[in-house]
Coordinates of all heavy atoms in Angstrom, one line a residue:
M1 N 1.2 24.3 -37.7 CA 1.5 24.0 -36.3 C 2.2 22.6 -36.0 O 1.6 21.7 -36.6 CB 0.2 24.1 -35.3 CG 0.5 23.9 -33.8 SD -1.0 23.7 -32.9 CE -1.5 22.0 -33.4
R2 N 3.1 22.6 -35.4 CA 3.9 21.3 -35.1 C 3.7 21.0 -33.6 O 4.2 21.7 -32.8 CB 5.4 21.3 -35.7 CG 5.8 20.2 -36.4 CD 7.2 20.3 -36.8 NE 7.8 19.0 -36.5 CZ 8.5 18.7 -35.5 NH1 8.8 19.5 -34.6 NH2 9.0 17.4 -35.5
V3 N 3.1 19.7 -33.4 CA 3.0 19.2 -32.1 C 4.1 18.2 -31.8 O 4.4 17.3 -32.6 CB 1.6 18.7 -31.8 CG1 1.4 18.1 -30.5 CG2 0.5 19.6 -32.3
K4 N 4.7 18.3 -30.6 CA 5.7 17.3 -30.4 C 5.3 16.4 -29.1 O 4.9 17.0 -28.1 CB 7.0 18.0 -30.0 CG 8.1 17.1 -30.1 CD 9.5 17.6 -29.9 CE 10.5 16.6 -29.6 NZ 11.5 16.9 -28.7
I5 N 5.2 15.2 -29.4 CA 4.7 14.3 -28.2 C 6.0 13.4 -28.0 O 6.6 12.9 -28.8 CB 3.7 13.3 -28.7 CG1 2.4 14.1 -29.5 CG2 3.1 12.5 -27.5 CD1 1.7 15.0 -28.7
R6 N 6.3 13.3 -26.8 CA 7.5 12.5 -26.3 C 7.0 11.7 -25.1 O 6.2 12.0 -24.5 CB 8.6 13.3 -26.0 CG 8.4 14.3 -24.9 CD 9.8 14.9 -24.5 NE 9.7 16.0 -23.5 CZ 9.4 15.8 -22.2 NH1 9.2 14.6 -21.6 NH2 9.4 16.9 -21.4
L7 N 7.9 10.6 -24.8 CA 7.6 9.8 -23.6 C 8.2 10.6 -22.4 O 9.0 11.5 -22.5 CB 8.4 8.5 -23.7 CG 7.9 7.5 -24.7 CD1 8.9 6.3 -24.9 CD2 6.6 7.0 -24.3
N8 N 7.7 10.3 -21.3 CA 8.1 10.9 -20.1 C 9.6 10.5 -20.0 O 10.1 9.5 -20.2 CB 7.4 10.1 -18.8 CG 7.7 10.8 -17.6 OD1 8.6 11.4 -17.3 ND2 6.6 10.7 -16.6
E9 N 10.3 11.6 -19.4 CA 11.9 11.4 -19.3 C 12.2 10.3 -18.2 O 13.4 9.8 -18.1 CB 12.5 12.7 -19.2 CG 12.2 13.5 -17.9 CD 10.8 14.1 -17.9 OE1 10.3 14.4 -19.0 OE2 10.4 14.5 -16.8
D10 N 11.3 10.1 -17.3 CA 11.5 9.3 -16.2 C 11.2 7.8 -16.7 O 10.0 7.3 -16.9 CB 10.6 9.5 -15.0 CG 10.9 8.7 -13.9 OD1 11.4 7.5 -14.0 OD2 10.5 9.1 -12.7
K11 N 12.2 6.9 -16.8 CA 12.1 5.6 -17.6 C 11.3 4.8 -16.7 O 10.8 3.8 -17.1 CB 13.6 5.1 -17.9 CG 14.1 5.9 -19.0 CD 15.4 5.1 -19.5 CE 15.9 5.7 -20.9 NZ 16.3 7.1 -20.8
E12 N 11.3 4.9 -15.4 CA 10.6 4.0 -14.4 C 9.1 4.3 -14.7 O 8.4 3.3 -14.7 CB 10.9 4.3 -13.1 CG 12.2 3.7 -12.6 CD 12.3 2.3 -12.8 OE1 11.4 1.6 -12.5 OE2 13.3 1.7 -13.5
V13 N 8.7 5.5 -14.9 CA 7.3 5.8 -15.0 C 6.9 5.2 -16.4 O 5.8 4.4 -16.4 CB 7.1 7.3 -15.1 CG1 5.6 7.6 -15.6 CG2 7.2 7.8 -13.7
V14 N 7.6 5.3 -17.4 CA 7.3 4.7 -18.7 C 7.2 3.2 -18.6 O 6.2 2.6 -19.1 CB 8.4 5.0 -19.7 CG1 8.2 4.3 -21.1 CG2 8.6 6.6 -20.0
K15 N 8.2 2.5 -17.8 CA 8.0 1.1 -17.7 C 6.7 0.7 -16.9 O 6.1 -0.2 -17.3 CB 9.3 0.7 -16.8 CG 9.9 -0.6 -17.4 CD 11.3 -0.8 -16.7 CE 11.2 -1.6 -15.5 NZ 12.5 -1.8 -14.9
R16 N 6.4 1.4 -15.9 CA 5.3 1.0 -15.1 C 4.0 1.2 -16.0 O 3.2 0.3 -15.9 CB 5.3 1.9 -13.8 CG 4.5 1.4 -12.6 CD 4.7 2.1 -11.4 NE 4.5 3.5 -11.6 CZ 5.3 4.5 -11.2 NH1 6.4 4.2 -10.7 NH2 4.8 5.8 -11.3
V17 N 3.9 2.4 -16.6 CA 2.7 2.6 -17.4 C 2.6 1.7 -18.6 O 1.4 1.1 -18.8 CB 2.6 4.1 -17.9 CG1 1.3 4.2 -18.7 CG2 2.6 5.0 -16.8
K18 N 3.6 1.3 -19.2 CA 3.6 0.4 -20.3 C 3.3 -1.1 -19.8 O 2.4 -1.7 -20.5 CB 5.0 0.3 -21.0 CG 5.1 1.5 -21.9 CD 6.2 1.4 -22.9 CE 6.1 2.4 -24.0 NZ 7.3 2.4 -24.9
A19 N 3.7 -1.3 -18.7 CA 3.4 -2.7 -18.0 C 1.8 -2.8 -17.8 O 1.1 -3.8 -18.0 CB 4.1 -3.0 -16.8
G20 N 1.3 -1.6 -17.2 CA 0.0 -1.5 -17.0 C -0.9 -1.6 -18.2 O -2.0 -2.3 -18.2
L21 N -0.5 -0.9 -19.2 CA -1.1 -1.0 -20.6 C -1.1 -2.4 -21.1 O -2.3 -2.8 -21.6 CB -0.4 -0.1 -21.6 CG -0.7 1.4 -21.6 CD1 0.3 2.2 -22.4 CD2 -2.3 1.6 -22.2
E22 N -0.1 -3.2 -21.0 CA -0.2 -4.5 -21.5 C -1.1 -5.4 -20.7 O -1.9 -6.1 -21.3 CB 1.2 -5.0 -21.3 CG 1.8 -6.0 -22.3 CD 3.4 -6.1 -22.4 OE1 3.9 -5.2 -22.9 OE2 3.8 -7.2 -21.9
Q23 N -1.1 -5.1 -19.4 CA -2.0 -5.9 -18.5 C -3.4 -5.6 -18.9 O -4.3 -6.5 -18.7 CB -1.7 -5.5 -17.1 CG -1.5 -6.6 -16.1 CD -1.2 -6.2 -14.8 OE1 -1.5 -5.1 -14.5 NE2 -0.5 -7.0 -14.0
K24 N -3.7 -4.4 -19.3 CA -5.1 -4.0 -19.5 C -5.4 -4.2 -21.0 O -6.5 -3.6 -21.5 CB -5.4 -2.7 -19.0 CG -5.5 -2.7 -17.6 CD -6.3 -1.5 -17.0 CE -7.7 -1.6 -17.1 NZ -8.5 -0.5 -16.5
G25 N -4.6 -4.8 -21.8 CA -4.8 -5.0 -23.3 C -5.0 -3.7 -24.1 O -5.7 -3.6 -25.0
G26 N -4.1 -2.7 -23.6 CA -4.2 -1.5 -24.4 C -5.0 -0.3 -23.9 O -5.0 0.6 -24.4
Y27 N -5.7 -0.7 -22.9 CA -6.7 0.3 -22.3 C -5.8 1.1 -21.1 O -4.9 0.5 -20.6 CB -7.9 -0.2 -21.7 CG -8.8 -0.8 -22.7 CD1 -8.7 -2.1 -23.2 CD2 -9.7 0.1 -23.5 CE1 -9.6 -2.5 -24.2 CE2 -10.5 -0.3 -24.4 CZ -10.4 -1.7 -24.9 OH -11.3 -2.1 -25.8
C28 N -6.4 2.3 -21.0 CA -5.6 3.1 -20.0 C -5.4 2.5 -18.6 O -6.5 2.2 -18.0 CB -6.3 4.5 -19.8 SG -5.5 5.7 -18.8
P29 N -4.3 2.3 -18.0 CA -4.1 1.6 -16.9 C -4.4 2.5 -15.5 O -4.5 2.0 -14.6 CB -2.5 1.3 -16.7 CG -1.9 2.4 -17.6 CD -3.0 2.6 -18.8
C30 N -4.6 3.7 -15.8 CA -5.1 4.6 -14.7 C -6.6 4.8 -14.5 O -7.1 5.7 -13.8 CB -4.5 6.1 -15.0 SG -2.8 6.1 -15.5
R31 N -7.4 4.0 -15.4 CA -8.8 4.2 -15.3 C -9.4 2.7 -15.2 O -8.9 1.8 -15.6 CB -9.4 4.9 -16.5 CG -9.0 6.3 -16.5 CD -8.8 6.8 -17.8 NE -8.9 8.3 -17.9 CZ -8.1 9.0 -18.9 NH1 -7.2 8.3 -19.6 NH2 -8.3 10.2 -18.9
L32 N -10.5 2.8 -14.6 CA -11.2 1.4 -14.2 C -11.9 0.9 -15.6 O -11.7 -0.4 -15.9 CB -12.2 1.5 -13.2 CG -11.6 1.8 -11.9 CD1 -12.8 1.9 -10.7 CD2 -10.8 0.4 -11.4
E33 N -12.6 1.8 -16.3 CA -13.4 1.2 -17.4 C -12.5 1.0 -18.6 O -11.6 1.6 -18.9 CB -14.5 2.4 -17.8 CG -15.5 2.8 -16.7 CD -14.9 4.0 -16.0 OE1 -13.7 4.4 -16.1 OE2 -15.7 4.5 -15.1
R34 N -12.9 0.0 -19.4 CA -12.3 -0.4 -20.6 C -13.3 0.0 -21.7 O -14.0 -0.8 -22.1 CB -12.0 -1.9 -20.7 CG -11.0 -2.3 -19.7 CD -10.6 -3.8 -19.9 NE -9.8 -4.2 -18.7 CZ -8.9 -5.1 -18.9 NH1 -8.7 -5.8 -19.9 NH2 -8.4 -5.5 -17.7
T35 N -13.3 1.3 -22.2 CA -14.1 1.8 -23.1 C -13.2 2.3 -24.2 O -12.1 2.7 -24.1 CB -15.0 2.8 -22.7 OG1 -14.2 4.0 -22.3 CG2 -15.9 2.4 -21.4
E36 N -13.8 2.6 -25.5 CA -13.0 3.1 -26.6 C -12.3 4.4 -26.2 O -11.2 4.6 -26.7 CB -14.0 3.4 -27.9 CG -14.2 2.2 -28.7 CD -12.9 1.6 -29.1 OE1 -12.1 2.3 -29.8 OE2 -12.7 0.4 -28.9
D37 N -13.0 5.3 -25.4 CA -12.3 6.5 -25.1 C -11.0 6.4 -24.2 O -10.2 7.3 -24.1 CB -13.4 7.4 -24.2 CG -14.4 8.1 -25.1 OD1 -14.3 7.8 -26.4 OD2 -15.2 8.8 -24.6
Y38 N -11.0 5.2 -23.6 CA -9.9 5.0 -22.6 C -8.7 4.1 -23.3 O -7.9 3.6 -22.6 CB -10.4 4.3 -21.4 CG -11.0 5.4 -20.6 CD1 -12.0 5.0 -19.5 CD2 -10.9 6.8 -20.8 CE1 -12.7 5.9 -18.7 CE2 -11.6 7.7 -19.9 CZ -12.5 7.3 -18.9 OH -13.1 8.2 -18.2
K39 N -8.9 3.9 -24.6 CA -7.8 3.1 -25.2 C -6.7 4.0 -25.6 O -6.9 5.1 -26.1 CB -8.6 2.5 -26.5 CG -7.8 1.3 -27.1 CD -8.6 0.3 -27.9 CE -7.9 -1.0 -28.0 NZ -8.5 -1.8 -28.8
C40 N -5.6 3.6 -25.3 CA -4.3 4.5 -25.5 C -4.1 4.7 -26.9 O -4.0 3.7 -27.7 CB -3.2 3.8 -24.8 SG -1.7 4.9 -24.6
M41 N -3.8 5.8 -27.5 CA -4.0 7.2 -26.8 C -5.4 7.5 -26.6 O -6.1 7.6 -27.5 CB -3.2 8.3 -27.4 CG -1.9 8.2 -27.7 SD -1.2 9.5 -28.6 CE 0.6 9.4 -28.4
C42 N -5.7 7.8 -25.2 CA -7.1 7.9 -24.9 C -7.7 9.3 -25.5 O -6.9 10.1 -25.9 CB -7.2 8.0 -23.4 SG -6.2 9.4 -22.7
K43 N -9.0 9.4 -25.4 CA -9.5 10.6 -26.1 C -9.2 11.8 -25.3 O -8.9 12.8 -26.0 CB -11.1 10.4 -25.9 CG -11.9 11.5 -26.6 CD -13.3 11.4 -26.7 CE -14.0 12.5 -27.5 NZ -13.7 13.9 -27.0
E44 N -9.1 11.7 -24.0 CA -8.7 13.0 -23.2 C -7.3 13.5 -23.7 O -7.2 14.7 -24.1 CB -8.4 12.7 -21.7 CG -8.1 13.8 -20.9 CD -7.7 13.5 -19.6 OE1 -6.7 12.9 -19.2 OE2 -8.6 13.8 -18.7
F45 N -6.4 12.6 -24.0 CA -5.0 13.1 -24.4 C -5.1 13.5 -26.0 O -4.4 14.4 -26.4 CB -4.0 11.9 -24.2 CG -2.5 12.4 -24.4 CD1 -2.0 13.7 -23.7 CD2 -1.6 11.8 -25.3 CE1 -0.8 14.1 -23.9 CE2 -0.3 12.2 -25.4 CZ 0.1 13.4 -24.8
R46 N -6.0 12.9 -26.7 CA -6.0 13.1 -28.1 C -6.6 14.6 -28.1 O -6.3 15.6 -29.0 CB -6.9 12.2 -28.8 CG -6.1 11.1 -29.3 CD -7.0 10.1 -30.2 NE -7.7 9.1 -29.3 CZ -9.1 9.1 -29.5 NH1 -9.8 9.9 -30.2 NH2 -9.7 8.0 -28.8
D47 N -7.6 14.9 -27.2 CA -8.1 16.3 -27.2 C -7.1 17.3 -26.7 O -7.0 18.4 -27.1 CB -9.3 16.4 -26.3 CG -10.6 15.6 -26.8 OD1 -10.6 15.3 -28.0 OD2 -11.5 15.4 -26.1
Q48 N -6.2 17.0 -25.7 CA -5.3 17.8 -25.3 C -4.2 18.0 -26.4 O -3.7 19.2 -26.6 CB -4.5 17.1 -24.1 CG -5.4 17.1 -22.9 CD -4.8 16.3 -21.7 OE1 -4.2 15.3 -21.9 NE2 -5.1 16.7 -20.5
I49 N -3.9 17.0 -27.3 CA -3.0 17.2 -28.4 C -3.5 18.2 -29.3 O -2.9 19.0 -29.9 CB -2.6 15.9 -29.1 CG1 -2.0 15.0 -28.2 CG2 -2.0 16.1 -30.4 CD1 -1.7 13.4 -28.6
A50 N -4.9 18.1 -29.5 CA -5.6 19.0 -30.4 C -5.7 20.5 -29.9 O -5.8 21.3 -30.7 CB -6.9 18.5 -30.8
D51 N -5.4 20.6 -28.7 CA -5.5 22.0 -28.1 C -4.2 22.6 -28.1 O -3.3 22.3 -27.4 CB -6.1 21.7 -26.6 CG -6.1 23.1 -25.8 OD1 -5.9 24.1 -26.4 OD2 -6.4 23.0 -24.6
P52 N -4.2 23.7 -28.9 CA -2.9 24.4 -29.2 C -2.4 25.0 -27.9 O -1.2 25.3 -27.7 CB -3.2 25.5 -30.1 CG -4.7 25.6 -30.2 CD -5.3 24.3 -29.7
D53 N -3.2 25.2 -26.9 CA -2.8 25.9 -25.5 C -2.3 24.8 -24.5 O -1.8 25.3 -23.5 CB -3.9 26.6 -25.0 CG -4.2 27.9 -25.8 OD1 -3.2 28.4 -26.4 OD2 -5.4 28.3 -25.8
Y54 N -2.5 23.5 -24.8 CA -2.2 22.6 -23.8 C -0.7 22.3 -23.9 O -0.2 21.9 -24.9 CB -3.1 21.3 -24.0 CG -2.8 20.3 -22.9 CD1 -3.3 20.5 -21.5 CD2 -1.8 19.3 -23.1 CE1 -2.8 19.6 -20.5 CE2 -1.5 18.4 -22.0 CZ -2.0 18.5 -20.8 OH -1.7 17.6 -19.9
E55 N 0.0 22.2 -22.7 CA 1.3 21.6 -22.7 C 1.3 20.8 -21.3 O 0.9 21.3 -20.1 CB 2.4 22.7 -22.6 CG 3.7 22.2 -22.1 CD 5.0 22.8 -22.9 OE1 4.8 23.9 -23.3 OE2 6.0 22.0 -22.9
G56 N 1.9 19.5 -21.4 CA 1.9 18.8 -20.2 C 1.7 17.2 -20.4 O 1.7 16.9 -21.6
Y57 N 1.6 16.6 -19.4 CA 1.5 15.1 -19.5 C 0.2 14.5 -19.7 O -0.8 15.2 -19.4 CB 2.1 14.4 -18.1 CG 3.4 14.6 -17.8 CD1 3.9 15.6 -16.9 CD2 4.4 13.9 -18.5 CE1 5.2 15.9 -16.7 CE2 5.8 14.0 -18.2 CZ 6.2 15.0 -17.3 OH 7.4 15.2 -17.0
C58 N 0.1 13.4 -20.2 CA -1.2 12.7 -20.4 C -1.6 12.2 -18.8 O -0.8 12.3 -18.1 CB -1.2 11.5 -21.4 SG -0.3 10.1 -20.7
H59 N -2.9 11.9 -18.7 CA -3.3 11.6 -17.5 C -2.4 10.6 -16.7 O -2.2 10.8 -15.5 CB -4.7 10.9 -17.7 CG -5.5 10.7 -16.4 ND1 -6.2 11.5 -15.8 CD2 -5.6 9.4 -15.6 CE1 -6.8 11.0 -14.8 NE2 -6.5 9.8 -14.6
C60 N -1.8 9.5 -17.5 CA -1.0 8.6 -16.8 C 0.5 8.9 -16.7 O 1.4 8.2 -16.2 CB -1.0 7.2 -17.6 SG -2.4 6.4 -17.7
M61 N 0.8 10.2 -17.3 CA 2.1 10.6 -17.4 C 3.1 9.8 -18.2 O 4.3 9.8 -18.1 CB 2.6 10.8 -16.0 CG 1.9 11.9 -15.2 SD 2.6 12.2 -13.6 CE 4.2 13.1 -14.1
L62 N 2.5 9.0 -19.1 CA 3.3 8.3 -20.0 C 4.0 9.2 -21.2 O 5.1 9.1 -21.5 CB 2.6 7.2 -20.8 CG 3.3 6.3 -21.9 CD1 4.4 5.6 -21.2 CD2 2.2 5.4 -22.5
Y63 N 3.1 10.0 -21.7 CA 3.5 10.9 -22.8 C 3.5 12.4 -22.2 O 2.7 12.8 -21.3 CB 2.3 10.9 -23.8 CG 2.4 9.6 -24.6 CD1 1.3 8.7 -24.4 CD2 3.5 9.1 -25.4 CE1 1.2 7.5 -25.0 CE2 3.5 7.9 -25.9 CZ 2.3 7.1 -25.8 OH 2.2 5.9 -26.4
Y64 N 4.2 13.2 -22.9 CA 4.3 14.7 -22.7 C 4.0 15.4 -24.0 O 4.7 15.0 -25.0 CB 5.7 15.0 -22.1 CG 5.6 16.4 -21.7 CD1 5.3 16.7 -20.3 CD2 6.1 17.6 -22.6 CE1 5.4 18.1 -19.9 CE2 6.0 18.8 -22.0 CZ 5.7 19.1 -20.7 OH 5.6 20.4 -20.3
K65 N 3.2 16.3 -24.0 CA 2.9 17.1 -25.2 C 3.6 18.5 -25.1 O 3.3 19.1 -24.0 CB 1.5 17.3 -25.4 CG 1.2 18.0 -26.7 CD 0.0 19.0 -26.6 CE -0.2 19.8 -27.8 NZ -0.8 21.0 -27.4
E66 N 4.5 18.7 -26.0 CA 5.2 20.0 -25.9 C 4.5 21.0 -26.9 O 3.9 20.5 -27.9 CB 6.6 20.0 -26.4 CG 7.4 19.2 -25.3 CD 8.8 19.1 -25.8 OE1 9.2 19.4 -26.8 OE2 9.6 18.2 -25.2
K67 N 4.3 22.3 -26.6 CA 3.7 23.2 -27.6 C 4.4 23.4 -28.8 O 5.7 23.4 -28.7 CB 3.4 24.5 -26.8 CG 2.2 24.5 -26.0 CD 1.9 26.0 -25.8 CE 1.3 26.1 -24.3 NZ 1.0 27.5 -24.0
Ligands
SF4_1 S1 -3.6 8.7 -20.1 FE1 -1.8 8.3 -21.3 S2 -1.1 6.2 -21.0 FE2 -3.3 6.6 -20.3 S3 -4.5 6.0 -22.2 FE3 -4.3 8.2 -22.1 S4 -2.5 8.5 -23.4 FE4 -2.5 6.4 -22.7

């Protein structure tokens, strides 16, 4: 199985989320807690990547996983 992960095609979103990540020291900008699970790539997205049936954006919409 080949998984393809790409950035959101909307460069403004990418810019905004990346700025947020920088501000939070690499932790997810869409979440309040700074825990290991929320370090980018967060556990939620890693689980989505591992799920062969999942297609879509990560929570922050920075990345897109294609099937
Ligand atoms: S939701 Fe996206 S941007 Fe946020 S930590 Fe997870 S992978 Fe990174």
Side-chain angles (χ1 to χ4, degrees):
M1 184 189 74
R2 226 183 134 259
V3 178
K4 198 175 163 222
I5 313 292
R6 60 165 172 81
L7 286 170
N8 191 325
E9 63 285 340
D10 185 334
K11 290 193 169 60
E12 280 308 306
V13 172
V14 171
K15 219 166 91 180
R16 203 168 58 231
V17 178
K18 281 196 167 170
L21 273 168
E22 211 160 291
Q23 228 172 28
K24 288 200 75 175
Y27 291 94
C28 190
C30 315
R31 289 151 164 142
L32 289 174
E33 301 90 352
R34 295 187 193 204
T35 65
E36 272 311 300
D37 283 359
Y38 290 158
K39 203 157 197 184
C40 193
M41 297 177 169
C42 59
K43 186 175 183 305
E44 181 186 73
F45 193 49
R46 282 185 271 121
D47 287 346
Q48 287 168 332
I49 290 170
D51 176 359
D53 290 329
Y54 181 79
E55 166 142 23
Y57 292 101
C58 71
H59 189 83
C60 296
M61 294 181 73
L62 175 63
Y63 296 111
Y64 189 88
K65 183 215 171 209
E66 290 173 9
K67 272 202 221 176

